[in-house]
Amino acid sequence: MKTDSFVLRHVGPRGNDAQEMLATIGLNSIDELIKKTVPNDILLRKDLDLNSAMSEQEYLSHIQELSIKNKLFKNYIGLGYHPTITPGVIQRNILENPGWYTAYTPYQAEIAQGRLEALLNYQTMVAELTGMELANASLLDEGTAAAEAMIMLYNTRTRAQKKNNSLHFFVSENVLPQTIELLKTRATPLGIILIIGEDSEQDFTSDYFGTLVQYPGKNGRVIDYSEFVKKANENDVRVAVAADLLSLAILTPPGEWGADVVIGTTQRFGIPMGYGGPHAAYFATKEAYKRSIPGRIIGVTKDANGNRALRMALQTREQHIKREKATSNICTAQVLLAVMAGMYGVYHGPNGLKYIANKIHQLAYTLHDELTKLGILQINKTFFDTLNVKVSNLEKIKENAELLHVNFYYTNKDTVSISLNETTTLSDINEIVKIIAKAENKVFTEVVAINPQITIPQNLSRTTSFLENPVFNSYHSETEMMRYIKKLERKDLSLNHSMISLGSCTMKLNAASEMFPLSWANWANIHPFVPIEQADGYQEVFRQLEEDLNEITGFYATSLQPNSGAQGEYAGLLVIKAYHEANGDHHRNICLIPSSAHGTNPASAVMAGMKVVVTKATEEGNIDFDDLKEKALLHKDNLAALMVTYPSTHGVFESGIKEITDLIHENGGQVYMDGANMNAQVGITNPATIGADVCHLNLHKTFAIPHGGGGPGVGPICVVEHLAPFLPSNPVIPTGGKSPITPISSAPWGSALVLLISYGYIKMLGSKGLKTATETAILNANYMKKHLESSYNILYTGENGFCAHEMIVDFREFKAKGIEVVDIAKRLMDYGYHAPTVSFPVAGTLMIEPTESESKAEIDNFIDAMLHIKKEIDAQESHDTSSVLKNAPHTQQMLTNDNWDFSYSRKEAAFPMDSIQENKFWPSVRRVDDAFGDRNLICSCTPIEEYM
């Protein structure tokens, strides 16, 4: 056994397993399987041209050497990113714990109660700090959250505003530059007109529907916006505020001066800067907008016994259901980072947050006071943590600062912006004063104590209490916090317990060696706007990762900026749109989308300003070529793009894919390939070969970034040469092509820190390992299919009867007995498994994807569970609501209760197979009542009893 081979650790089947599995499906070799599964005309004829695979030890040495190329300066740049302290108890027990980072989105609430509670804490913290009525469970970053706020206010315009065609949205020039540019990205396709200016001079007319201000402003000034809001409200204009969440521990929250939406980032709550991400953005608003709020909301409901239970509320807002009528294309959040930020609030509590905020402000006032004594002008009369300093020799200051490994933000030729943070000390203040005094030829005297003065005026000071719930006031010792985190972890099923075979979601191994570097200071503590030469390690990772992704996809160039799969879709369509416009084809706005496509596809197309035309599917689940051709010809003069998923959403390599892509090109369109199923392509075919022009890649699927309970996700786009000039840029650190579109996310390279995971995945697998992973994913799926098809109807297969890396199992025939697919999903919990994807893309089905990382033994165990459930289905009396299926899942409380009023035994309920006794997972609640929760929407830590 080659113990230094990473592929041996990543791929599940051992030794002779693969040959046994091939024999089961009636084949002799992997090559034979691939040739019978993938159309011959798209098979790659040579291996990927990648570096030789590294061992885990070689990779860790390599990534350590690269980390040293990053220069760790003290950063006072600000602009929405700050050095912070991740409490060790949170780093060790959440960030570095697979029990938290390998979990899936909490669609199956009964086995996600721990994560759901952590997110409910997060929502409560955000709502109370901002002074708003409810918050969602995180967005992608501050810039995109601001854009979502603008779009929500646009979509909820009053009748009068819609009648007047009110399209203007005012943006204060004090808003962060990257946010302003992102607003431009989102506004243009929808026809929203941005007006950017000085907020104190703004007069609102009937043309305006909304406005955005920054609190404190980008250069640190804290403004009393109460009159501004009053003026806006008098003109029926809604107000969004981008607020520094930590500052709200001591500043008046925007909800108290009339804001409609408050957005921002929770990065300051213990999340490393990571050269730009991932960080959980927050979004808080009024109760009136609860059915328009983007993203996910965690709500309180009850289970079958009437006990308190949590779940994702208002799930009908999920974009895969609303499709082109969606108000947003959001599909992913930043759950892992939101959990960490919420736990930061739990650990420190209200008094701890006030202490941290006050200390930062006192340090800022100490710096202001010392500079004033030296005769140096500090412009901001009111500030929280950021000073704006007028200087006579900015270049000398910059030179002195860099010699001492210090970064400031230079706003213009004579102004230095200095943002202090949680890690700042008195010695740092002395160093800053010394740098400026030396350049300005002033005599510096060392400061010996922090000035305890709080200089925030009374009208801007917070007077209301926050975070009074016991959860924020109980776990302030590390012992108690560690136990609280563990208590929640035990309620969640993650990959460290069993296979999570979610179709389209690719829940594969997230190897420890890929994860280690995320905690290293030289990767974690880099500000995204440092001079580029300070991040040479990151730049080398980006260069190599882009080259590798180009080779894997067959494309010419890559943008790493999109920080979710849906963001990648949106970016890809905007690049196509920019290409058409550069050719003078401004009228090309028709996007053809198959009916089987993931719902974010049509949502992204609408957001990009395109008109969606849906094409039909055949009975076999493939694209109906005749219907596609008819619509392509009908719209050929205005055709912009086709969005296609390959292999198809039905888990099949469609043989006519090249004919399809040729048709689109012949009629003037571009082909966008959704990369959700790229795990079945790597090394055996690629998007360029099938004829696509652009694809996004879900790095949190195919390339091993963990799902983190619902995020982080990363969705870079790869493009052909003629689309490369339009790849997105950033206003602070230029990136992208020669004629770039405006940014897709706030940071130049999106969620840069977690790109290290995919970089490591590719480097350790190498060309052969990547191909082996793909082949094994297809083998595992077909082996499972062979065992299940004798008991269940498998909906779609390729021409030779094989599936790709996933399959759809149909349960609709059992409705005659009163059995729904959700009953199967809940019953699987009793067997120790997370349900596969439920009712997508076909209602009443499960879409199963075992991935390459699962062993034959684990797959066999899952097969046994599914076959055992089939026996339970067969034994079910018609419409018997007292059966084991209808009462699943079964909790420990049920089994230990003195009363047992069911017709089946306790053993049958909880231990239907003997193997379960070795590794029993107990759902912590019975089946949740979604309808009750939606009728009684509770999205904070308030006890449910107060509402019932």
Side-chain angles (χ1 to χ4, degrees):
M1 186 171 80
K2 298 175 68 175
T3 59
D4 58 353
S5 169
F6 178 70
V7 70
L8 186 76
R9 306 305 189 185
H10 177 78
V11 171
R14 306 285 86 191
N16 295 324
D17 288 346
Q19 212 53 49
E20 290 178 23
M21 295 163 83
L22 285 164
T24 299
I25 60 177
L27 299 177
N28 296 314
S29 69
I30 285 283
D31 281 348
E32 187 181 0
L33 171 63
I34 298 305
K35 286 174 181 175
K36 285 184 175 293
T37 304
V38 184
N40 183 60
D41 63 342
I42 63 168
L43 280 171
L44 296 181
R45 304 304 174 190
K46 60 184 181 67
D47 290 338
L48 296 173
D49 184 14
L50 301 172
N51 293 336
S52 299
M54 297 179 181
S55 69
E56 293 180 78
Q57 191 55 46
E58 287 171 333
Y59 171 70
L60 290 171
S61 296
H62 166 73
I63 204 71
Q64 175 70 38
E65 289 170 9
L66 284 184
S67 75
I68 296 167
K69 294 185 178 184
N70 294 325
K71 298 179 178 68
L72 265 189
F73 281 33
K74 288 190 176 173
N75 283 298
Y76 307 106
I77 297 170
L79 293 183
Y81 302 93
H82 302 269
T84 187
I85 298 168
T86 306
V89 67
I90 293 174
Q91 176 174 318
R92 175 60 58 88
N93 293 290
I94 296 178
L95 177 62
E96 298 173 352
N97 180 355
W100 285 92
Y101 67 69
T102 70
Y104 184 64
T105 305
Y107 288 122
Q108 298 297 335
E110 296 83 358
I111 52 174
Q113 290 295 299
R115 218 165 341 124
L116 288 164
E117 181 172 328
L119 291 173
L120 193 71
N121 294 343
Y122 170 87
Q123 288 180 178
T124 302
M125 178 184 77
V126 167
E128 294 190 11
L129 280 168
T130 58
M132 302 306 288
E133 292 168 346
L134 79 159
N136 72 11
S138 85
L139 294 179
L140 298 173
D141 59 26
E142 180 165 331
T144 52
E148 294 294 340
M150 174 183 72
I151 292 169
M152 187 186 82
L153 296 179
Y154 171 76
N155 288 330
T156 57
R157 288 172 298 166
T158 64
R159 284 185 181 177
Q161 287 169 335
K162 289 177 181 176
K163 186 177 180 181
N164 292 334
N165 199 25
S166 303
L167 296 174
H168 288 71
F169 187 79
F170 176 74
V171 183
S172 167
E173 61 188 21
N174 293 314
V175 169
L176 299 175
Q178 66 269 26
T179 299
I180 292 176
E181 289 301 301
L182 233 159
L183 289 170
K184 292 176 183 176
T185 304
R186 293 290 191 90
T188 302
L190 299 177
I192 295 171
I193 301 166
L194 294 185
I195 305 296
I196 300 162
E198 172 54 52
D199 41 62
S200 62
E201 300 171 2
Q202 176 61 22
D203 288 320
F204 294 107
T205 63
S206 60
D207 292 339
Y208 287 86
F209 68 89
T211 180
L212 174 71
V213 296
Q214 191 94 32
Y215 179 75
K218 66 180 179 185
N219 293 327
R221 192 161 53 112
V222 183
I223 297 171
D224 183 351
Y225 278 114
S226 54
E227 285 302 312
F228 176 88
V229 173
K230 183 180 177 184
K231 184 166 64 171
N233 288 342
E234 286 170 355
N235 290 277
D236 211 16
V237 173
R238 303 290 175 255
V239 179
V241 180
D244 181 322
L245 196 65
L246 184 60
S247 75
L248 301 185
I250 59 175
L251 293 179
T252 305
E256 292 183 18
W257 37 263
D260 294 280
V261 190
V262 188
I263 62 93
T265 176
T266 58
Q267 185 265 316
R268 295 194 90 155
F269 282 55
I271 312 300
M273 290 182 291
Y275 204 39
H279 308 131
Y282 73 84
F283 190 110
T285 188
K286 295 178 176 177
E287 187 91 13
Y289 295 107
K290 68 185 179 184
R291 295 192 180 271
S292 303
I293 187 170
R296 295 164 176 160
I297 307 173
I298 307 308
V300 183
T301 185
K302 61 182 181 179
D303 74 358
N305 280 357
N307 295 321
R308 181 179 186 270
L310 308 176
R311 92 295 182 236
M312 294 205 302
L314 304 175
Q315 287 200 36
T316 53
R317 294 176 308 105
E318 286 288 343
Q319 304 311 321
H320 65 265
I321 294 171
K322 283 195 168 184
R323 298 180 66 81
E324 63 268 25
K325 294 183 176 63
T327 55
S328 165
N329 70 337
I330 284 180
C331 185
T332 245
Q334 299 283 23
V335 171
L336 184 67
L337 297 312
V339 166
M340 289 174 64
M343 287 298 186
Y344 182 94
V346 169
Y347 193 45
H348 290 306
N351 293 330
L353 294 180
K354 280 186 275 190
Y355 170 80
I356 293 166
N358 278 325
K359 183 182 175 186
I360 293 171
H361 176 69
Q362 288 162 353
L363 285 164
Y365 180 76
T366 303
L367 178 56
H368 160 82
D369 192 40
E370 292 303 317
L371 292 174
T372 303
K373 288 176 186 176
L374 294 177
I376 296 168
L377 177 63
Q378 196 286 114
I379 303 168
N380 294 339
K381 292 181 180 177
T382 305
F383 53 84
F384 165 58
D385 63 355
T386 301
L387 306 181
N388 237 4
V389 183
K390 284 283 185 184
V391 296
S392 63
N393 195 340
L394 186 139
E395 285 304 317
K396 189 66 177 174
I397 287 172
K398 190 175 181 181
E399 182 184 322
N400 292 347
E402 289 182 0
L403 283 172
L404 292 171
H405 284 197
V406 169
N407 287 323
F408 300 131
Y409 180 60
Y410 305 98
T411 59
N412 52 45
K413 292 180 180 179
D414 64 355
T415 310
V416 180
S417 179
I418 306 169
S419 290
L420 305 185
N421 57 77
E422 184 187 8
T423 70
T424 306
T425 63
L426 184 60
S427 71
D428 294 328
I429 299 299
N430 279 306
E431 183 176 55
I432 294 168
V433 176
K434 187 176 181 180
I435 289 168
I436 296 173
K438 184 178 179 182
E440 298 289 291
N441 295 316
K442 303 289 185 180
V443 178
F444 164 68
T445 305
E446 188 169 327
V447 187
V448 295
I450 297 173
N451 191 320
Q453 193 165 339
I454 302 293
T455 64
I456 296 168
Q458 188 173 354
N459 65 315
L460 289 168
S461 295
R462 182 168 197 135
T463 57
T464 51
S465 59
F466 59 93
L467 305 188
E468 293 183 320
N469 190 278
V471 75
F472 297 104
N473 296 279
S474 303
Y475 307 111
H476 301 325
S477 76
E478 181 168 335
T479 303
E480 289 300 314
M481 187 65 179
M482 175 180 66
R483 289 173 182 161
Y484 177 61
I485 292 171
K486 188 65 181 177
K487 183 179 82 169
L488 298 191
E489 181 196 339
R490 283 197 300 265
K491 296 181 180 182
D492 279 22
L493 193 147
S494 302
L495 275 175
N496 65 349
H497 180 273
S498 60
M499 172 171 66
I500 302 179
S501 57
L502 284 146
S504 189
C505 297
T506 315
M507 299 290 291
K508 64 171 66 178
L509 170 73
N510 315 119
S513 52
E514 295 160 0
M515 302 294 292
F516 284 142
L518 271 61
S519 297
W520 298 354
N522 278 46
W523 295 114
N525 297 337
I526 307 291
H527 192 288
F529 299 144
V530 299
I532 203 161
E533 62 272 11
Q534 291 179 23
D536 282 345
Y538 263 116
Q539 292 303 317
E540 189 164 334
V541 166
F542 298 158
R543 279 192 297 271
Q544 290 193 43
L545 182 57
E546 287 174 9
E547 288 173 6
D548 289 349
L549 295 177
N550 291 342
E551 174 66 15
I552 288 166
T553 59
F555 284 143
Y556 178 80
T558 293
S559 169
L560 299 169
Q561 192 180 109
N563 49 9
S564 80
Q567 292 289 87
E569 292 174 12
Y570 182 60
L573 292 172
L574 288 183
V575 164
I576 287 173
K577 192 175 184 187
Y579 165 75
H580 285 313
E581 290 174 354
N583 292 333
D585 292 336
H586 295 263
H587 54 281
R588 288 197 174 274
N589 69 339
I590 298 294
C591 187
L592 302 179
I593 302 179
S595 58
S596 62
H598 196 279
T600 56
N601 285 185
S604 294
V606 169
M607 281 178 54
M610 295 183 180
K611 182 180 177 183
V612 172
V613 173
V614 177
T615 69
K616 296 176 183 176
T618 65
E619 287 185 9
E620 294 77 29
N622 298 327
I623 292 172
D624 186 324
F625 184 78
D626 292 337
D627 185 63
L628 179 72
K629 185 174 182 178
E630 179 185 327
K631 287 168 179 171
L633 292 173
L634 177 66
H635 297 289
K636 65 180 181 179
D637 294 335
N638 298 308
L639 182 60
L642 165 74
M643 296 187 82
V644 60
T645 302
Y646 201 75
S648 73
T649 310
H650 295 132
V652 174
F653 283 97
E654 296 186 41
S655 59
I657 186 63
K658 292 187 79 169
E659 189 179 6
I660 288 167
T661 56
D662 286 346
L663 172 71
I664 301 304
H665 291 142
E666 288 163 7
N667 288 282
Q670 296 286 284
V671 177
Y672 171 91
M673 193 203 86
D674 186 313
N677 294 338
M678 193 68 194
N679 209 50
Q681 283 198 43
V682 178
I684 60 173
T685 186
N686 63 36
T689 300
I690 73 167
D693 300 285
V694 54
C695 75
H696 87 266
L697 301 171
N698 295 97
L699 298 191
H700 51 289
K701 296 182 183 183
T702 307
F703 295 94
I705 292 176
H707 280 66
V714 183
I717 56 170
C718 307
V719 298
V720 292
E721 187 171 1
H722 65 259
L723 296 181
F726 309 104
L727 292 175
S729 187
N730 180 275
V732 184
I733 305 288
T735 60
K738 294 178 181 177
S739 305
I741 61 172
T742 44
I744 296 301
S745 67
S746 290
W749 290 276
S751 295
L753 182 61
V754 292
L755 293 175
L756 298 174
I757 300 167
S758 298
Y759 177 79
Y761 173 81
I762 294 170
K763 292 302 178 192
M764 287 188 285
L765 280 177
S767 175
K768 290 183 179 178
L770 288 167
K771 185 178 181 181
T772 298
T774 306
E775 292 169 338
T776 308
I778 294 171
L779 172 63
N780 283 356
N782 280 283
Y783 174 74
M784 184 182 289
K785 170 183 164 293
K786 183 67 176 178
H787 278 283
L788 294 182
E789 63 190 4
S790 59
S791 297
Y792 297 103
N793 179 30
I794 310 297
L795 271 190
Y796 306 111
T797 60
E799 292 176 359
N800 294 314
F802 295 93
C803 65
H805 62 311
E806 61 191 7
M807 77 211 75
I808 298 175
V809 183
D810 192 356
F811 293 87
R812 290 173 295 184
E813 64 183 284
F814 307 125
K815 286 175 72 77
K817 283 192 169 188
I819 298 170
E820 304 289 343
V821 69
V822 69
D823 298 321
I824 313 303
K826 303 309 179 188
R827 181 57 173 155
L828 273 168
M829 297 176 191
D830 291 328
Y831 287 80
Y833 285 107
H834 191 295
T837 304
V838 178
S839 291
F840 174 81
V842 180
T845 66
L846 292 179
M847 182 158 59
I848 306 176
E849 179 186 357
T851 86
E852 72 274 11
S853 295
E854 297 302 335
S855 67
K856 179 177 179 293
E858 179 71 352
I859 292 171
D860 284 340
N861 200 62
F862 180 83
I863 290 167
D864 288 345
M866 290 294 291
L867 297 180
H868 205 278
I869 287 172
K870 178 58 165 58
K871 292 177 182 177
E872 294 173 345
I873 293 170
D874 292 341
Q876 164 104 9
E877 296 289 337
S878 182
H879 293 84
D880 178 9
T881 59
S882 65
S883 70
V884 70
L885 288 165
K886 285 295 184 180
N887 282 289
H890 297 82
T891 63
Q892 195 170 36
Q893 182 187 24
M894 289 174 69
L895 260 74
T896 55
N897 197 303
D898 289 341
N899 297 317
W900 183 258
D901 298 325
F902 302 100
S903 59
Y904 48 92
S905 69
R906 285 179 165 92
K907 182 179 185 298
E908 190 179 348
F911 300 100
M913 300 193 308
D914 291 341
S915 60
I916 297 171
Q917 296 185 35
E918 295 179 13
N919 189 28
K920 177 64 182 173
F921 181 87
W922 291 101
S924 52
V925 297
R926 291 192 64 192
R927 200 175 299 194
V928 300
D929 188 335
D930 288 318
F932 177 88
D934 284 347
R935 288 195 306 271
N936 304 273
L937 191 62
I938 309 164
C939 300
S940 70
C941 294
T942 308
I944 192 172
E945 289 75 19
E946 294 187 17
Y947 290 80
M948 292 176 67

